[in-house]
Amino acid sequence: MYSFQATQNSKTTPPATQRAFQRVTVNLQGRLMLANQDEYVCSVVDMSPGDARLACAGRPRTHERIIAYIDHLGRLEGTVLKLTEDGFVMSLVATERKREKLAAQLTWIANKHELGLPEDRRHDRLTPRQTLTELTLDDGRRYPCRLMDLSLSGAAVDIDFRPAIGTAVRLGSMRGRVIRHFLEGVAIEFTTLQSREALTEFL
């Protein structure tokens, strides 16, 4: 199972000269904005909690500030370290808590099959456009959460509250049950196979 290991002390080593974490290969789509406010479609090729390599048609300058919105990760902010043939490498500006959260999210992405998260291999993973929603228990308690992954058969959500495994829940209008806990939240299996139309509130 993949786990991030620091290669240097991130508090003492500048990110521009030495990566504090090993990067993991990913394929995450998103959009970014350059300092001149031009926007471009982009994809994250590999990433650690401290830096990321992006493929993008936009050609920023070294040291330019970048703001990106990446599927499953949300808003990222940082500075261009160097240009590459198809994009650039950027350092990430983040608090220690944000880096810990990124490490957990990237670990989840790298290990999703091993962790048994509900990316049912019979059903394609869908990219949610609306990620903020609520998890509702049978007793009416509601908890804000963020969709990390979604398919016709289940979802993974980033949530602070951890209902017990087997707990019946409702995610938006969809009923299901908690089947697994992981570092950032819970995995949910829907009670019935959903149609794409049923998921339109998120797509």
Side-chain angles (χ1 to χ4, degrees):
M1 186 175 291
Y2 187 88
S3 178
F4 280 99
Q5 297 293 329
T7 56
Q8 295 287 337
N9 187 328
S10 59
K11 294 182 179 180
T12 60
T13 306
T17 57
Q18 178 67 51
R19 292 209 305 272
F21 296 90
Q22 175 187 356
R23 285 192 207 146
V24 61
T25 299
V26 295
N27 180 21
L28 300 174
Q29 307 303 307
R31 295 186 64 84
L32 62 79
M33 184 171 66
L34 304 185
N36 64 4
Q37 298 190 336
D38 285 348
E39 291 192 13
Y40 294 91
V41 173
C42 66
S43 61
V44 180
V45 179
D46 55 48
M47 183 177 177
S48 81
D51 61 3
R53 180 163 64 95
L54 288 83
C56 178
R59 302 300 287 176
R61 300 182 306 275
T62 304
H63 307 307
E64 183 172 332
R65 179 172 173 265
I66 300 293
I67 297 175
Y69 294 88
I70 306 300
D71 290 352
H72 310 300
L73 298 180
R75 186 179 191 271
L76 301 178
E77 184 176 342
T79 304
V80 175
L81 297 176
K82 65 178 182 180
L83 300 182
T84 61
E85 286 188 9
D86 61 351
F88 58 90
V89 176
M90 66 183 285
S91 63
L92 301 178
V93 176
T95 63
E96 183 176 351
R97 174 166 172 75
K98 173 68 171 177
R99 291 191 196 281
E100 290 173 355
K101 186 172 183 178
L102 280 173
Q105 290 171 310
L106 292 170
T107 299
W108 177 83
I109 290 168
N111 293 323
K112 61 176 62 177
H113 291 307
E114 289 187 52
L115 289 171
L117 298 182
E119 177 185 314
D120 191 312
R121 293 176 188 175
R122 297 168 299 168
H123 308 116
D124 289 340
R125 188 161 51 93
L126 306 173
T127 302
R129 301 296 179 191
Q130 172 59 41
T131 59
L132 299 180
T133 185
E134 287 185 328
L135 191 71
T136 305
L137 304 187
D138 280 350
D139 63 8
R141 285 181 293 166
R142 304 167 75 175
Y143 299 90
C145 62
R146 185 178 66 84
L147 276 175
M148 297 175 67
D149 213 316
L150 181 66
S151 79
L152 302 184
S153 56
V157 298
D158 179 348
I159 188 171
D160 292 332
F161 178 65
R162 299 289 194 279
I165 292 173
T167 300
V169 296
R170 190 169 72 250
L171 183 66
S173 61
M174 299 170 294
R175 293 190 176 275
R177 64 185 181 91
V178 175
I179 60 169
R180 197 173 304 276
H181 294 171
F182 57 95
L183 187 59
E184 285 297 290
V186 299
I188 298 165
E189 182 179 64
F190 297 141
T191 303
T192 58
L193 188 64
Q194 304 294 312
S195 66
R196 289 186 68 97
E197 290 71 26
L199 304 180
T200 52
E201 63 180 298
F202 302 115
L203 300 177

